[in-house]
Amino acid sequence: MKISFPHMGYSYIALKWLVENLGHECIVPPEPSKRTLDLGVRHAPEFACIPYKILMGTYLEVAEMGAELILSSGGRGPCRAGYYWVMHRYLLEELGLDVKLIAFEPPLNDLKGFFKTIHWLRKTGGRSVKEVLNALEVTWEKIKALDDLELCSHETRPYEVNRGDTTRALWKGLDMVDQANTLAELAEARHEGLRLLESVPRDNSRNPLKIGIIGEIYVVLEPAANHYIQIMLGEMGVHTDRSIYLSAYTRNNTIVNLEGDIKAMARPYLNADTIGGHGVNSVAETVLYAKHGFDGVVQLAPFACIPEIVAKGILPTISQEYGIPVLTIFIDEQTGKAGVQTRLEAFVDLLQRRRENKAKSERLAI
Amino acid sequence: MKGFLGVDVGSVSTNIVVVDADGKLLVDRYLRTSGRPIEVVQQGIYDIGKELAGDVEILAAGTTGSARFLTSMIVGADVVKNEITAHAVAASNIVPGVRTIIEIGGQDSKIIILRDGVVTDFAMNTVCAAGTGSFLDQQASRLLIPIEEFGNYALKAKNPVRIAGRCAVFAESDMVHKQQLGYNTEDIIAGLCEALVRNYMNNVGKGKEILDPIIFQGGVAANAGLVQAFNHYLNTEVTVPPYFGVMGAIGAALLAKDIYAKKGSTNFKGFNLRDIKYVTTSFECKGCSNACEVVQFYQNGELLARWGDRCGKWELQID
């Protein structure tokens, strides 16, 4: 079977490997482009948010490339994105396309359903249980390696001497992870990729500002949807840390996973366990970044995203209590990056001045 | 005399100023960009040079606005700054102690919050341009009223009608509807001003701590009707500085002055820009799937700079 899935950052490298090792052919989704958006906008309801439109466009593109099955994800809570796959399925049917769409619900919600789908993919692909278990393990390790390399690139970029060196080193590393087929090869690729990033010429005399990136999962994870904001900020000399990594649940080197109960952090400001999407997380993560000494926070939200709008209403209070500036950027169909660049530059100016003033008053206090 | 040049090239207007060593405005130009930033800047700087007639030596130049990068290549700028920082610098120099800046330009509107002369917060309209200069321009020409007169009509209103201000498209249909019902033009224009202020406060002003003194600047500050509507809504007096239309350019000039103090030299190419031939071309890089559009900038046939690529492969800048 020819299988495809949504494009989300660099995860396609791991998912491609999984599909192929379940015994199927993979149609790798193209990075979301202007064409993806055009296709998505043409067939989506006007009021749907940008993740819906980009996914719709991606599905139409992979269908064109011959995909017979698209694997997507569901979701829990009141955010409408959890039902997008149902809408997408109707639309694909309506357009008369011969492509099936199935969604994985979060394993915590529906463990049985999750394994049933995997089992079915295994049987149709003609693989043994052992082979599939191995494939799942390697895939997971790949996801972790991809995240490791990306994390390292965001730490390295603000120090780079020649613009673009870090990004090019990262691409080479990702390519090596892509080529690895066993756990041993993967470990080597990861190691070699990190080494490449570490050997990027650096100016260690810099003291980069630190900005946390929070918001809705799709626009946070897909650089093509957020104007490559982490690369843009990195090249302005800012170290960014983002709140969401696919492998985050198992790692202890991302800020957001250092503290236990994220909902408890949000509770003083928002006494509800879920308002859908990543709304509660955005509130809690702002507190977290402030506590970890970050200079500022950028919130990424799809235009009209209710969970993020609720969070946005709460953020000024946190911003004031903890003294951490927050910039909200709404993402919609515009592709011009000049507006985003202007806001980010001004935000970086603001943070820089704050830092200088703080240093000055601390010197005075001594 | 010594002076510093500031150029602000925005979507609608191009502003050029020269300030002296004390930051005092010597000369200013407010021009229409008309979609031809390169020629407008060339001509504008030439004209300013003529007006100053060799009396002023430019020690440094700064650019700002959405075309700041392109403009910096044309004039040879020493500092390139985003318009938010530039506006804040100008405002806090002209009105010391300012704590809130309301800035409405051709296509964007922003709010800047300062405390002790430092920007502490700001917001800029995101996906909606309702209430900016372009919309007012459009409505003025629809009503056959010169834009300069537009605000004065609002001042004559006795009973402003309510207009939905959330979206420019709906505001327009609301206005048409009220016209057809027979309301007079003055009341409708005043209603529109109030709607725009409401929209501004709910959109960019949301969640911001707005404290006196408040400055209202940008091209739209020329509109007396909007000034009145802001006073009414905020229940205080907003100050419109004398050079409200060219504050961004003043900010750029002041920033150039700061840079000169550190650097002591300039890249400024002189006032005689009119004789230089600037050409830009672009091509799509085929190196990877990103297909970046790379811009090439030529001065008298010589390649001076290249930008627009994401990976840095084509990037080139000759000082």
Side-chain angles (χ1 to χ4, degrees):
Chain A
M1 220 172 351
K2 291 179 178 167
I3 299 182
S4 194
F5 41 80
H7 192 282
M8 206 143 100
Y10 307 118
S11 63
Y12 69 91
I13 293 172
L15 295 176
K16 178 185 86 175
W17 196 90
L18 176 65
V19 167
E20 284 170 355
N21 284 274
L22 286 171
H24 298 279
E25 193 184 319
C26 180
I27 304 288
V28 179
E31 183 179 43
S33 62
K34 216 173 146 276
R35 178 162 187 270
T36 317
L37 197 56
D38 283 346
L39 281 172
V41 168
R42 187 179 313 163
H43 297 289
E46 193 274 330
F47 54 81
C49 65
I50 200 74
Y52 183 98
K53 291 174 181 169
I54 295 180
L55 291 190
M56 188 72 236
T58 302
Y59 296 162
L60 291 169
E61 281 182 306
V62 297
E64 216 173 73
M65 292 158 79
E68 297 159 298
L69 174 69
I70 296 167
L71 299 176
S72 184
S73 67
R76 46 183 182 158
C79 167
R80 59 190 180 183
Y83 305 102
Y84 277 179
W85 68 276
V86 184
M87 296 275 291
H88 285 135
R89 182 193 261 175
Y90 282 141
L91 255 161
L92 291 170
E93 252 171 45
E94 221 173 83
L95 293 170
L97 291 167
D98 196 17
V99 55
K100 252 173 78 171
L101 192 151
I102 53 174
F104 285 101
E105 290 298 334
L108 286 177
N109 274 27
D110 184 15
L111 199 60
K112 223 171 112 193
F114 179 80
F115 279 110
K116 236 171 103 183
T117 311
I118 293 283
H119 179 70
W120 174 71
L121 288 172
R122 176 186 75 81
K123 279 186 87 175
T124 47
R127 295 291 152 114
S128 72
V129 172
K130 210 179 141 212
E131 281 170 317
V132 167
L133 286 178
N134 175 58
L136 284 174
E137 190 187 354
V138 173
T139 304
W140 184 240
E141 288 302 319
K142 271 206 185 205
I143 290 177
K144 286 205 291 194
L146 294 170
D147 282 352
D148 282 340
L149 292 182
E150 211 198 333
L151 266 167
C152 179
S153 80
H154 295 315
E155 280 165 26
T156 307
R157 196 172 286 109
Y159 293 98
E160 73 183 5
V161 177
N162 310 308
R163 185 176 87 87
D165 274 359
T166 311
T167 307
R168 281 186 289 269
L170 172 68
W171 287 348
K172 275 191 203 140
L174 294 175
D175 219 34
M176 289 187 283
V177 172
D178 188 23
Q179 303 297 322
N181 286 307
T182 61
L183 288 177
E185 282 173 25
L186 193 53
E188 203 192 305
R190 177 183 170 279
H191 184 78
E192 186 57 25
L194 289 175
R195 204 193 53 78
L196 275 175
L197 282 166
E198 275 153 22
S199 54
V200 165
R202 289 162 71 104
D203 173 0
N204 281 320
S205 69
R206 296 179 195 162
N207 181 15
L209 288 167
K210 283 164 89 179
I211 294 181
I213 310 276
I214 61 166
E216 189 274 338
I217 183 166
Y218 191 80
V219 294
V220 167
L221 284 185
E222 178 51 65
N226 64 29
H227 307 274
Y228 304 87
I229 194 169
Q230 285 189 282
I231 295 180
M232 219 198 266
L233 280 168
E235 287 176 353
M236 288 180 199
V238 177
H239 172 186
T240 55
D241 181 271
R242 71 164 189 254
S243 56
I244 310 171
Y245 279 93
L246 285 182
S247 65
Y249 298 107
T250 58
R251 60 171 65 239
N252 51 16
N253 58 344
T254 52
I255 298 288
V256 164
N257 284 284
L258 289 176
E259 320 275 325
D261 190 356
I262 197 100
K263 282 181 185 137
M265 300 232 84
R267 212 158 285 142
Y269 306 96
L270 174 62
N271 195 13
D273 266 2
T274 177
I275 52 168
H278 285 72
V280 177
N281 302 56
S282 289
V283 171
E285 285 152 9
T286 306
V287 176
L288 261 177
Y289 281 124
K291 284 190 171 169
H292 282 269
F294 274 64
D295 297 282
V297 165
V298 172
Q299 181 196 21
L300 297 174
F303 183 54
C305 171
I306 293 176
E308 294 303 328
I309 289 174
V310 173
K312 182 179 185 278
I314 297 170
L315 294 182
T317 313
I318 303 174
S319 182
Q320 209 161 32
E321 274 181 32
Y322 285 89
I324 185 164
V326 178
L327 175 72
T328 300
I329 293 182
F330 280 109
I331 312 258
D332 202 38
E333 286 168 36
Q334 337 72 329
T335 46
K337 75 166 199 180
V340 177
Q341 176 108 22
T342 299
R343 288 164 180 81
L344 290 179
E345 276 181 33
F347 193 57
V348 168
D349 271 353
L350 181 165
L351 298 180
Q352 196 69 48
R353 286 292 283 275
R354 269 174 67 96
R355 197 190 248 190
E356 283 163 15
N357 280 9
K358 230 192 233 166
K360 225 184 273 167
S361 59
E362 268 161 24
R363 267 202 308 275
L364 284 175
I366 295 166
Chain B
M1 209 198 312
K2 316 270 188 225
F4 300 92
L5 179 79
V7 188
D8 177 0
V9 184
S11 56
V12 176
S13 72
T14 293
N15 314 317
I16 307 171
V17 303
V18 175
V19 302
D20 68 9
D22 300 323
K24 214 178 94 243
L25 190 78
L26 294 175
V27 50
D28 68 293
R29 278 278 186 294
Y30 185 94
L31 309 159
R32 292 250 158 186
T33 309
S34 314
R36 293 177 296 115
I38 297 181
E39 289 127 78
V40 173
V41 169
Q42 278 178 294
Q43 184 65 41
I45 297 222
Y46 177 82
D47 290 346
I48 284 221
K50 244 171 112 183
E51 186 177 329
L52 294 172
D55 287 345
V56 176
E57 183 200 352
I58 298 297
L59 294 182
T63 59
T64 185
S66 43
R68 59 187 175 278
F69 193 65
L70 178 68
T71 314
S72 78
M73 293 288 153
I74 300 169
V75 300
D78 302 288
V79 57
V80 184
K81 243 329 162 205
N82 64 80
E83 49 270 38
I84 296 166
T85 306
H87 276 288
V89 166
S92 56
N93 264 275
I94 290 172
V95 182
V98 57
R99 290 199 286 181
T100 308
I101 302 170
I102 295 168
E103 204 274 338
I104 306 184
Q107 267 174 24
D108 49 42
S109 52
K110 34 188 162 312
I111 189 163
I112 307 171
I113 306 292
L114 298 102
R115 294 293 179 263
D116 305 319
V118 177
V119 178
T120 58
D121 197 4
F122 69 86
M124 210 164 156
N125 60 336
T126 45
V127 278
C128 169
T132 59
S134 299
F135 175 62
L136 288 174
D137 242 5
Q138 194 192 329
Q139 293 315 316
S141 65
R142 202 174 61 79
L143 296 169
L144 297 176
I145 296 171
I147 184 72
E148 296 78 15
E149 294 289 311
F150 203 65
N152 299 332
Y153 271 78
L155 297 184
K156 283 182 235 149
K158 299 217 171 58
N159 201 4
V161 296
R162 187 172 172 97
I163 308 267
R166 217 188 115 201
C167 163
V169 177
F170 292 137
E172 176 165 347
S173 50
D174 220 17
M175 276 169 67
V176 173
H177 180 66
K178 298 267 149 96
Q179 278 174 311
Q180 312 297 54
L181 283 177
Y183 290 95
N184 70 46
T185 313
E186 286 84 1
D187 287 347
I188 290 174
I189 292 178
L192 180 67
C193 289
E194 287 182 357
L196 297 185
V197 168
R198 255 196 327 268
N199 178 47
Y200 176 91
M201 296 309 297
N202 280 327
N203 191 349
V204 293
K206 191 115 231 158
K208 306 287 177 226
E209 195 190 12
I210 297 169
L211 297 177
D212 278 325
I214 303 168
I215 282 195
F216 180 22
Q217 60 191 42
V220 173
N223 188 317
L226 270 171
V227 176
Q228 179 186 266
F230 268 115
N231 286 343
H232 189 71
Y233 189 99
L234 295 166
N235 206 10
T236 178
E237 288 276 311
V238 303
T239 309
V240 178
Y243 315 110
F244 59 87
V246 295
M247 293 293 270
I250 294 178
L254 292 170
L255 285 161
K257 191 174 142 243
D258 288 351
I259 288 286
Y260 180 76
K262 283 184 207 157
K263 207 173 77 165
S265 65
T266 183
N267 301 329
F268 181 54
K269 293 176 184 168
F271 288 113
N272 232 340
L273 293 178
R274 221 175 48 163
D275 303 335
I276 304 176
K277 202 167 174 276
Y278 294 109
V279 178
T280 56
T281 61
S282 67
F283 65 89
E284 197 171 86
C285 173
K286 301 260 189 303
C288 73
S289 64
N290 287 330
C292 297
E293 253 175 47
V294 182
V295 179
Q296 306 194 93
F297 184 82
Y298 293 89
Q299 176 176 322
N300 288 334
E302 182 199 344
L303 181 64
L304 211 63
R306 238 181 346 227
W307 64 84
D309 56 328
R310 199 127 43 68
C311 71
K313 178 164 106 179
W314 295 102
E315 193 171 82
L316 171 83
Q317 208 174 326
I318 303 161
D319 282 330

